[in-house]
Amino acid sequence: MRIDKYLWCIRYYKTRNIATEACKKGHITINGQQAKPSREVYPTDKLTVRKDQINYKLTVLDIPPNRVGAKLVDIYRKDETPAEAFEHLELLKLSKDYYRAKGTGRPTKKDRRDLDDYADDFDDNFITGEDSEI
């Protein structure tokens, strides 16, 4: 089965076209080699799928006859993605919450107060020579 069709069948991509584009961009590797969309996939192949800033590591267990339900996906693949990858994604989400894009306007009154409090805490600890929890 083609790699783009396989990834669509096991529900890693919503459409085959999106799976094909991921292959063309080099986000899919089979056994360490970049895969074209037409590359055949066989049982025991090791896949690496880069999606949403996570490198999913998969092992092909079997080839599905067509697109399968979400509950049946584990029959056709084994997910070996390390837990650290998901923790890294959570850290990225948290860092985006506190990021202000350049040109979004002046800081709000709350933003300014938070900055002042941070600066005061930093200055107080610096002057007294204490280790800060910052």
Side-chain angles (χ1 to χ4, degrees), residues 92-105:
L92 285 175
K93 286 182 182 178
L94 290 174
S95 69
K96 287 181 182 178
D97 289 343
Y98 297 105
Y99 175 74
R100 287 181 52 91
K102 184 176 179 180
T104 57

Side-chain angles (χ1 to χ4, degrees), residues 1-13 16 19-20 23 28 30-31 35-45 47 60-68 73 76-77:
M1 177 181 278
R2 291 169 52 112
I3 183 65
D4 59 345
K5 188 173 181 180
Y6 177 79
L7 291 171
W8 171 74
C9 285
I10 63 168
R11 297 183 168 270
Y12 269 83
Y13 290 101
R16 274 189 68 185
T20 302
C23 291
I28 313 297
I30 300 175
N31 298 326
K36 293 182 179 179
S38 61
R39 169 90 183 261
E40 291 291 319
V41 65
Y42 302 103
T44 70
D45 279 346
L47 304 179
V60 178
L61 298 178
D62 198 7
I63 305 297
N66 50 15
R67 191 166 167 97
V68 296
V73 168
Y76 301 103
R77 61 103 172 123

Side-chain angles (χ1 to χ4, degrees), residues 81-134:
T81 307
E84 295 87 32
F86 297 107
E87 293 169 4
H88 178 70
L89 183 65
E90 290 298 321
L91 288 175
L92 285 175
K93 286 182 182 178
L94 290 174
S95 69
K96 287 181 182 178
D97 289 343
Y98 297 105
Y99 175 74
R100 287 181 52 91
K102 184 176 179 180
T104 57
R106 293 172 43 183
T108 63
K109 191 180 281 189
K110 183 181 183 322
D111 292 338
R112 183 177 50 79
R113 288 179 180 156
D114 289 342
L115 286 171
D116 289 343
D117 289 342
Y118 177 75
D120 289 341
D121 289 343
F122 184 74
D123 290 340
D124 292 343
N125 291 335
F126 184 72
I127 292 171
T128 60
E130 297 175 1
D131 289 337
S132 65
E133 297 179 9
I134 300 175

